[in-house]
Amino acid sequence: MLWKDQYELGVPRIDAQHKELFKRVEAFLQVLRSKESWDKRVAKLNETLEFMKRYVVEHFHDEEEYQISIGYPGYEMHKQLHKGMVDYVQEVSRQYEQANNNNEELMQQFGGRLLAWLVNHVAAEDQRIADYAKKEGVSGDGR
């Protein structure tokens, strides 16, 4: 399991979304590492890619709204980090579709980058938000 309780921010909605992202990424990596033929893995990989295209946008929006609600001073920089990942997911999706869902190397690279980004972002960048909220004495719901 990739998720660690130490990643929790203390914001129930954001924490639940992070757990779902970790769960999906872990499942995606298991499919990538599977010994099944590419054709048998494609449906699950497509499902994960579609999920990521939708969910990261929703999650990032919610996380940014929370940052605004607590007056987080690193909001603009954090928003740019999110934009970079959204742009990356969309670009991978575009390239994958152009290859007619037949680019295993691209999906392997995507899986590795997704995992590294998720762990580093949640364990480091998002923890700065939690640290700020604690220091300022604001609760997990932004009040």
Side-chain angles (χ1 to χ4, degrees):
M1 179 88 177
L2 301 172
W3 175 259
K4 293 180 172 70
D5 288 341
Q6 69 198 41
Y7 297 158
E8 288 189 355
L9 301 184
V11 182
R13 180 178 175 101
I14 304 298
D15 289 335
Q17 290 173 346
H18 282 161
K19 288 175 187 175
E20 182 67 19
L21 284 167
F22 272 81
K23 183 176 103 181
R24 293 291 186 124
V25 169
E26 184 172 21
F28 181 72
L29 294 174
Q30 287 175 356
V31 171
L32 282 174
R33 294 175 185 145
S34 168
K35 299 298 181 201
E36 289 186 37
S37 71
W38 178 253
D39 291 341
K40 290 187 177 186
R41 292 184 284 164
V42 164
K44 183 64 177 169
L45 298 174
N46 290 347
E47 177 187 314
T48 301
L49 190 55
E50 288 304 312
F51 167 81
M52 293 304 292
K53 283 174 18 184
R54 289 186 325 271
Y55 202 74
V56 295
V57 170
E58 176 187 329
H59 167 65
F60 290 165
H61 174 267
D62 290 348
E63 195 173 278
E64 290 166 11
E65 287 293 312
Y66 173 67
Q67 290 174 53
I68 290 168
S69 76
I70 64 169
Y72 180 59
Y75 165 75
E76 287 298 331
M77 186 209 56
H78 201 99
K79 184 176 179 177
Q80 288 306 309
L81 295 173
H82 286 172
K83 182 183 180 321
M85 181 48 95
V86 168
D87 291 348
Y88 173 69
V89 170
Q90 290 173 342
E91 177 59 21
V92 165
S93 180
R94 186 189 63 73
Q95 288 178 25
Y96 187 63
E97 288 168 11
Q98 284 181 337
N100 295 317
N101 302 342
N102 195 22
N103 190 333
E104 184 173 359
E105 183 180 337
L106 178 64
M107 287 297 99
Q108 293 287 351
Q109 291 171 355
F110 179 62
R113 183 162 172 191
L114 198 57
L115 174 61
W117 192 90
L118 185 60
V119 170
N120 290 331
H121 189 79
V122 173
E125 295 300 328
D126 287 352
Q127 291 307 311
R128 290 186 177 107
I129 302 166
D131 292 345
Y132 173 80
K134 288 175 192 160
K135 185 182 101 184
E136 296 298 313
V138 291
S139 70
D141 61 6
R143 286 179 220 145

